[in-house]
Amino acid sequence: VQCHFHTGLISDKGLYKLTLVQFQKFSPSDQWEEEMATLTANEIQLQLLTLKEDAKTRSPGELSGVNNVCAEFLQLKVPRSSEILDVAAGSGIISAELQTAGYINIDALDGDLPTLRRLQALRLYRNFINRSVDGILSTGLRDASYDVVITAGGFASDAINPLDITEMLRILRPEGHLLWTMKNVRDEGTSEFGCLEANLRSLEKTGRCQVIKNCNFTDPETKTAGVFYMVKRLAGSLPDYVNMEVPAELKEQISEILVDNSDPLNNVKFYDDWCNKYDTDLMIQGNYTGHTKCVEAFVKLGLNRNVQILDLAAGTGLLGAEIGKYGYEFVDGLDASPGMLGQARNQTIYRDYIISLVDGLGSIPVNDETYDVVMSSNGFAPGQIYPTAIPEILRVMRPGGYLLWTMREGFQQNSQKFALFDAEIKNLENTGCAELVVGPVVFENFVLKHPGKFYMMRKMVQTQVAAGQE
């Protein structure tokens, strides 16, 4: 995509180019047929002052994010010849700010065409790219095109999904830097933002990037909290998630174990074998959000930090780690796979590690009324935990305690036991064992673009589950 400061729009499969040259993907260093117009130093200063005054009136709080990301960029002291991409360019203040420091090779990427036309009229960028960041290859840019990718406020619940950091890394050169400011994760209030830290950890673990800096700041005008991140792309290609395809073999194996009457020992072996790649496959390739949905709901209960919590089907500890971010320390993890729990133990996520299947009464090796809260994400599934295990789960809960879980939607279509899930819950309510507080709530993008379900139950006070109940 190339752009000179000329009028005229050319469309190529939805990609708009403010240009008079031929269609092609480009690297920022490609040579052009004519020289671009540039601003003088005085013109840039005047533009910057005007833009900042406009931002104060139009969008209070915007400047703090811009100022922070620009200040951090300047501290990098990258060469003045560096190739820079401003994503979700918006007002253009970032470019004006960096140009005052001598950086001129700055391109703008924004999904809003009128915004790019306005920026073109201001002559603030070299290239204008009308694309949204929405998955791998969505920008249409070549691999390793830029030394720095920068955005202030581009990651937002109504803008760029934080899971699309992978696309930002793809267009960065090895050792290049991705810098951004955004609202506090809790203020964004979506599961995708709740996955941000886990996604970054997975990328670090697989040697794709390194988080150089992460710090909070407060806007002096609005008093709202913001977050700054600086991530460096490490050398090497990004082969495993550029295609964003889970291997067919893995899909087949998962399908085989998530069926009724599958061999529990085979299931355990499958997860033991998978444990080293579980976080990467689930978080990066699967865009898994079930654990953050569960924790978001739990946090809204406002329970004190002394409650005793059990994470069922804990796996490698994704849910447990998410709970820990909110200051809850008394969390135990239970899973049938020693390999999975071993990964969690290596990260010291849980207080206690319990290896056990969850089935009928007495299957959980824990005393009655031990936990205030039991949580599970992706644990309820054919071949894993069935609805008939809920009485056993209630046994280890204290009266008034909460059971929260997320699961993939659609199991009821292929599993007779899960077809009766809501009936099992209704029966527990009718017998006074438990109360369904919330659910089922269906939400999008649980894993691999499959929708999910959320439930919250509460154990009734002064109720005892009858021994021998099936």
Side-chain angles (χ1 to χ4, degrees), residues 453-464:
K453 273 184 178 179
F454 169 78
Y455 291 83
M456 181 191 296
M457 293 185 71
R458 195 170 192 186
K459 181 176 179 179
M460 299 298 287
V461 178
Q462 297 180 341
T463 298
Q464 194 171 14

Side-chain angles (χ1 to χ4, degrees), residues 69 72-73 76 85-87 133 146-152 155 160 162 164-173 175-181 196 200 203 209-213 228-234:
V69 80
E72 294 287 352
F73 168 84
L76 281 175
L85 178 66
D86 182 4
V87 175
V133 182
Y146 292 95
D147 300 295
V148 177
V149 175
I150 188 169
T151 183
F155 288 110
I160 301 173
D164 288 324
I165 285 174
T166 49
E167 172 64 357
M168 307 280 212
L169 291 174
R170 183 186 69 80
I171 61 178
L172 267 178
R173 292 169 178 163
E175 303 300 312
H177 292 83
L178 168 61
L179 299 85
W180 76 92
T181 51
L196 176 61
L200 287 173
L203 289 167
C209 71
Q210 178 184 0
V211 178
I212 303 297
K213 189 171 183 180
F228 168 79
Y229 283 90
M230 181 190 297
V231 174
K232 179 168 71 173
R233 177 182 166 179
L234 300 182

Side-chain angles (χ1 to χ4, degrees), residues 29-45:
S29 57
D30 287 346
Q31 295 299 311
W32 299 352
E33 296 174 358
E34 23 179 339
E35 291 295 320
M36 291 187 355
T38 57
L39 296 172
T40 67
N42 287 337
E43 287 175 325
I44 294 171
Q45 288 286 0

Side-chain angles (χ1 to χ4, degrees), residues 324-382:
K325 294 178 184 177
Y326 294 90
Y328 292 91
E329 299 179 358
F330 304 113
V331 187
D332 296 339
L334 181 149
D335 200 280
S337 165
M340 288 285 191
L341 276 185
Q343 294 291 323
R345 188 188 294 272
N346 290 340
Q347 302 173 71
T348 62
I349 290 174
Y350 298 108
R351 176 184 57 180
D352 195 10
Y353 300 81
I354 306 167
I355 299 174
S356 175
L357 292 167
V358 180
D359 195 3
L361 284 170
S363 61
I364 301 176
V366 171
N367 291 333
D368 294 357
E369 301 184 3
T370 296
Y371 295 102
D372 302 290
V373 178
V374 177
M375 304 172 69
S376 182
S377 178
N378 211 27
F380 281 98

Side-chain angles (χ1 to χ4, degrees), residues 115-158:
T115 294
L116 289 180
R117 285 173 166 166
R118 178 177 54 79
L119 294 174
Q120 180 198 16
L122 294 173
R123 296 186 295 164
L124 286 172
Y125 294 91
R126 179 184 59 178
N127 298 309
F128 299 78
I129 306 163
N130 182 217
R131 293 296 286 263
S132 297
V133 182
D134 185 21
I136 287 294
L137 305 178
S138 58
T139 62
L141 297 168
R142 292 175 182 167
D143 292 358
S145 291
Y146 292 95
D147 300 295
V148 177
V149 175
I150 188 169
T151 183
F155 288 110
S157 56
D158 58 351

Side-chain angles (χ1 to χ4, degrees), residues 66-122:
V66 172
N67 291 338
N68 273 277
V69 80
C70 288
E72 294 287 352
F73 168 84
L74 293 175
Q75 288 183 28
L76 281 175
K77 297 181 179 179
V78 297
R80 295 295 190 274
S81 59
S82 296
E83 301 287 345
I84 303 166
L85 178 66
D86 182 4
V87 175
S91 66
I93 296 176
I94 285 180
S95 179
E97 193 76 67
L98 299 189
Q99 286 189 61
T100 62
Y103 295 93
I104 60 172
N105 298 325
I106 309 173
D107 297 341
L109 184 146
D110 201 288
D112 183 59
L113 186 56
T115 294
L116 289 180
R117 285 173 166 166
R118 178 177 54 79
L119 294 174
Q120 180 198 16
L122 294 173

